[in-house]
Amino acid sequence: MKLYNSITHTKDEFVTHEPGKVSMYTCGPTVYHFAHIGNLRSYIMEDVLEKFLRYDGYDVKRVMNITDVGHLTSDADEGEDKMLKGAKREHKSVMEIAQFYTDAFFSDCAKLNIKTPDVVQPATGCIDDYIRIITRLLENGYAYPAGGNIYFDTSKLDRYYVFNDHDEEDLAVGVREGVEEDTNKRNKNDFVLWFTKSKFEDQALKWDSPWGVGYPGWHIECSGISMKYLGEYLDLHCGGIDNAFPHHTNEIAQSEAYLGHPWCKQWFHVHHLNTSSGKMSKSKGEFLTVSLLEEKGYDPLVYRLFCLQSHYRNGLVFSWENLGNAKNVYEKLVARVAALDEGGTVDEAAAEPFKAAFKEALGNDLNTSLGVTALYDVLKADLNDATKRALIYSFDTVLGLDLLGRAAALREKNAAPVEGAEEIEALVAARTEAKKAKNWAEADRIRDELKAMGIELLDSKEGTTWKKI
Ligand code: AMP
Ligand code: ZN
């Protein structure tokens, strides 16, 4: 497949270290609060990418960390530890907060049909791995102690800003605006590998290390966890676009300095979901969650479809109106799939060009909106219903919209005897009479009465049918 690579800034042919196998790493959530639907946009698109790679025949091993230590309120090593902040907010221990929000994250993922990665590793479980890496970085001159902390020395690198050659200064200033410089740092982009001292109240969880009791910096966890499970050569690394700098930039710096050779070739970054009023932010505490979507009556998979309708490299603006449009599209899709007859024989030869078109769409830098269009192309094609159902099933192993499952549920709902059906039929007949007599007011009144009973009417040339809303 072709995939845009944030390092080369071009769509590259996806090549793996070992043919047919993909080692894939995803930066996981910082579990001090619920994930917002912006975070989940990144995880939805990464899920589609993983599923498409499998669909394309790759054997994928995917690893994700859970950030439960070391991520300070500023990505640039300043401020309080986010976990500690969450624990204080809720009067709980850091471990309780971590467990609660990790469970909440995976529950949201399940609702959005996001597969759990093969390995999920909390950062607090791999302290020895970070200590080993930091020890070598100190030995080979890439790290230095200062003021009780261990820092990575970015001046030792030939090239630090791997993702962005043009706006180096802008990028650095942008992130650091309003942030007090840490005077222990020899260079402004140096970053903490191990903390024993913070200006702020100390982290609750601490471990012994050769440099004193303390805790790891945020970036080291992803290098440590990825190498532990996926080895020295990583094929694909994913995250939201805000992770590119400084997080991924620092991951690359320390991993390559440790390994002495290139580490990960392909970097996949999902652009942000914003609201019309701006960026969605967990740290501000006010944000949209999957539970809120559900409270407002949206199936979480409507949000998944909403994400799939846009390309992952474009910013996406959330509004209830836009989500409402996705809901209409989703319900129509489900209804059309539900209308397909079950049974019959799949015409493999006729299905082939549709499969090829789908693969071409997703294989071209994960064009998910064309993937969704491919569903429509199948539904309106001159194919028998068995073939259509087989194709929808196949595409949905990647898109994850549970179309056949939701369609089966809809059929069941429609087939179930409705309480009070006789009364409903009588009201529908009375409305038909009223319409014949051009008594529009009465016809409307009956429609409203039925609506209040949870019944929707569908008028067509053949007459009026009804369904439960
Ligand atoms: P965090 O829990 O803050 O560590 O973030 C989890 C993931 O969500 C990271 O990959 C971020 O890059 C990503 N992310 C954060 N904000 C957004 C957003 N508004 N839209 C899409 N992805 C985001
Ligand atoms: Zn990471």
Side-chain angles (χ1 to χ4, degrees):
M1 82 175 295
K2 277 199 168 17
L3 204 54
Y4 182 86
N5 186 351
S6 311
I7 289 222
T8 58
H9 302 282
T10 49
K11 260 197 248 176
D12 300 338
E13 193 57 44
F14 180 62
V15 183
T16 60
H17 190 67
E18 258 186 80
K21 289 193 171 173
V22 181
S23 57
M24 179 174 181
Y25 187 84
T26 297
C27 289
T30 310
V31 283
Y32 69 111
H33 220 319
F34 291 107
H36 59 57
I37 59 172
N39 300 130
L40 291 161
R41 178 192 191 199
S42 287
Y43 296 111
I44 289 170
M45 301 319 281
E46 292 165 6
D47 180 64
V48 176
L49 175 59
E50 175 190 347
K51 287 174 176 162
F52 180 69
L53 289 169
R54 291 184 195 274
Y55 187 86
D56 206 17
Y58 285 103
D59 178 6
V60 182
K61 181 170 178 190
R62 180 157 172 219
V63 176
M64 182 169 88
N65 64 306
I66 299 287
T67 299
D68 55 358
V69 69
H71 192 174
L72 305 191
T73 39
S74 146
D75 283 356
D77 294 338
E78 301 286 333
E80 216 175 350
D81 185 289
K82 291 189 180 187
M83 294 302 298
L84 188 60
K85 200 174 157 187
K88 276 203 247 167
R89 184 186 67 232
E90 298 184 18
H91 308 289
K92 290 193 182 135
S93 74
V94 167
M95 283 329 256
E96 281 169 341
I97 290 284
Q99 194 56 56
F100 179 82
Y101 288 115
T102 301
D103 292 347
F105 173 74
F106 285 112
S107 149
D108 285 347
C109 286
K111 288 176 184 166
L112 291 164
N113 240 341
I114 296 171
K115 178 184 166 292
T116 303
D118 304 295
V119 176
V120 174
Q121 174 65 64
T124 47
C126 294
I127 302 296
D128 290 348
D129 297 271
Y130 318 143
I131 290 180
R132 197 187 57 251
I133 296 173
I134 299 167
T135 302
R136 189 184 304 172
L137 291 175
L138 280 161
E139 280 165 9
N140 66 15
Y142 280 99
Y144 59 92
N149 300 330
I150 307 294
Y151 292 86
F152 185 90
D153 187 347
T154 52
S155 72
K156 294 284 181 335
L157 302 170
D158 296 336
R159 188 164 167 242
Y160 172 66
Y161 292 102
V162 284
F163 293 112
N164 197 319
D165 286 328
H166 311 293
D167 309 313
E168 297 182 358
E169 288 304 317
D170 293 354
L171 206 60
V173 172
V175 169
R176 273 141 204 278
E177 222 168 353
V179 170
E180 207 184 311
E181 283 295 331
D182 176 347
T183 50
N184 292 321
K185 293 185 183 182
R186 291 184 189 162
N187 312 288
K188 70 175 194 301
N189 287 310
D190 290 357
F191 53 92
V192 177
L193 296 164
W194 187 267
F195 285 99
T196 67
K197 290 223 162 42
S198 157
K199 280 196 288 258
F200 290 83
E201 192 181 334
D202 238 349
Q203 163 65 25
L205 296 173
K206 285 188 268 191
W207 296 265
D208 208 2
S209 84
W211 322 288
V213 175
Y215 58 99
W218 172 37
H219 316 296
I220 195 73
E221 69 181 70
C222 289
S223 296
I225 292 172
S226 138
M227 285 183 218
K228 180 179 179 118
Y229 295 104
L230 298 168
E232 292 193 0
Y233 294 92
L234 185 60
D235 293 316
L236 180 57
H237 197 309
C238 315
I241 189 71
D242 60 308
N243 279 167
F245 186 87
H247 184 51
H248 291 162
T249 306
N250 292 348
E251 277 187 42
I252 294 170
Q254 68 204 2
S255 299
E256 299 196 346
Y258 169 77
L259 292 167
H261 62 69
W263 175 49
C264 178
K265 275 206 187 119
Q266 182 83 39
W267 289 81
F268 176 86
H269 288 122
V270 180
H271 286 243
H272 273 188
L273 177 88
N274 295 313
T275 57
S276 53
S277 60
K279 192 179 165 232
M280 215 171 287
S281 164
K282 257 204 286 202
S283 49
K284 283 187 202 143
E286 267 180 37
F287 48 82
L288 297 161
T289 59
V290 169
S291 309
L292 183 71
L293 301 190
E294 287 182 304
E295 274 165 35
K296 297 222 178 215
Y298 289 94
D299 181 335
L301 293 184
V302 166
Y303 178 64
R304 184 170 172 116
L305 175 65
F306 172 74
C307 291
L308 298 190
Q309 287 172 318
S310 294
H311 196 257
Y312 74 90
R313 277 198 293 120
N314 292 329
L316 180 57
V317 177
F318 178 85
S319 70
W320 292 106
E321 193 188 346
N322 292 346
L323 192 68
N325 293 337
K327 183 177 183 197
N328 288 339
V329 171
Y330 189 61
E331 285 177 354
K332 274 190 198 141
L333 265 174
V334 170
R336 287 179 72 171
V337 175
L340 298 173
D341 284 334
E342 289 182 28
T345 313
V346 176
D347 183 344
E348 296 289 352
E352 216 35 62
F354 291 90
K355 283 191 180 163
F358 180 75
K359 238 180 165 171
E360 169 136 8
L362 275 288
N364 182 9
D365 198 21
L366 210 70
N367 192 330
T368 48
S369 73
L370 271 186
V372 172
T373 309
L375 292 170
Y376 283 105
D377 292 342
V378 166
L379 284 166
K380 51 179 203 246
D382 184 18
L383 295 166
N384 68 34
D385 282 4
T387 309
K388 289 185 182 180
R389 285 176 62 88
L391 282 167
I392 303 269
Y393 175 81
S394 159
F395 298 175
D396 218 12
T397 57
V398 177
L399 301 176
L401 296 169
D402 191 28
L403 291 170
L404 290 176
R406 292 294 199 273
L410 181 66
R411 285 166 86 122
E412 214 168 281
K413 189 172 145 196
N414 290 344
V418 175
E419 216 182 302
E422 266 177 37
E423 187 195 348
I424 294 165
E425 295 287 358
L427 281 165
V428 171
R431 177 171 168 270
T432 307
E433 286 308 311
K435 277 170 70 177
K436 262 194 213 150
K438 298 201 172 7
N439 188 350
W440 308 119
E442 174 66 359
D444 286 349
R445 191 197 61 73
I446 297 175
R447 175 189 280 275
D448 290 344
E449 185 180 338
L450 283 163
K451 197 168 174 196
M453 292 162 66
I455 301 299
E456 189 176 74
L457 298 179
L458 302 160
D459 291 320
S460 72
K461 270 186 282 176
E462 289 77 35
T464 302
T465 53
W466 58 270
K467 66 169 186 172
K468 263 192 106 58
I469 301 169

